[in-house]
Each structure stands twice: as structure tokens, then as C-alpha cells.
Amino acid sequence: MPLTAELGLEPVTWGTRMVLTCTYDKDAIGIDLPEEVDYLLFVTDERGRTEQVGSWTSVSGTTMTVPAATAVRRDDIADVEVRTTDGRVVLRLGA
């Protein structure tokens, strides 16, 4: 897989602080991939409501630290997804 990530979630009084650490490696699989890819970070709560909480551009071979936040309480987060800008889910991270 060309994108690997770890997600940190911290409960705070106003919701949840998030830190996503990810690495993009265009050479990780045997197809031609771009040097840079734009990604979006989404949170879905237990009621099924989804919100975008972050965006960044990954450069191949670079580890990125992406801070994000949501008003959704930590215990109410059902799913966290990394998507491409065309909406394709590339990673689903357990909350």
C-alpha cells in the first residue's frame, strides 16, 4: 500500500484533538503513481454524520504529521478515513 498511517486521538473539553502521522511511498506497489498526492481526512460519528477535518499534500518518501480537530467527542467517533480529493477511500483508521 502506498500510504501508511497512525492516528492519535485525544479527548478534550470541546471534542477531540487528532494527530495523523502518515507516509506516502509511490514505489510501494508495482504501478506508476504520482510524486505528490492530495488527501482529505474525514470523521464519521456514531449517528453517521461525516465531516472533513483536515487536508494535506503527501510527497513520496516523506512522513507527514497532520494535526486536526473535531467537535465530535472521542467516544462518539465511529470511523476516520483518508480519502483522495475525488472521494476514494484509501485508508480506514479504527477510532
Side-chain angles (χ1 to χ4, degrees), residues 4-43:
T4 58
E6 290 183 24
L7 178 65
L9 300 172
E10 177 188 357
V12 291
T13 56
W14 44 263
T16 306
R17 182 177 293 133
M18 309 167 75
V19 176
L20 179 74
T21 304
C22 63
T23 303
Y24 171 63
D25 179 3
K26 75 179 193 75
D27 299 321
I29 57 177
I31 61 172
D32 189 31
L33 294 172
E35 186 67 27
E36 297 181 357
V37 178
D38 294 328
Y39 290 111
L40 307 171
L41 185 64
F42 285 84
V43 170

Side-chain angles (χ1 to χ4, degrees), residues 1-6 20-26 28-29 33 37-40 56-59 62-64 81-84 89-93:
M1 174 167 298
L3 183 70
T4 58
E6 290 183 24
L20 179 74
T21 304
C22 63
T23 303
Y24 171 63
D25 179 3
K26 75 179 193 75
I29 57 177
L33 294 172
V37 178
D38 294 328
Y39 290 111
L40 307 171
W56 70 99
T57 300
S58 280
V59 177
T62 303
T63 297
M64 306 282 299
E81 295 177 337
V82 176
R83 301 178 188 177
T84 58
V89 175
V90 293
L91 278 180
R92 189 166 278 121
L93 304 159

Side-chain angles (χ1 to χ4, degrees), residues 29-80:
I29 57 177
I31 61 172
D32 189 31
L33 294 172
E35 186 67 27
E36 297 181 357
V37 178
D38 294 328
Y39 290 111
L40 307 171
L41 185 64
F42 285 84
V43 170
T44 302
D45 69 15
E46 291 290 337
R47 296 183 205 157
R49 293 182 295 199
T50 300
E51 70 172 314
Q52 180 182 330
V53 297
S55 63
W56 70 99
T57 300
S58 280
V59 177
S60 186
T62 303
T63 297
M64 306 282 299
T65 300
V66 182
T70 180
V72 178
R73 294 183 54 220
R74 167 69 181 92
D75 292 341
D76 295 331
I77 295 175
D79 199 25
V80 179

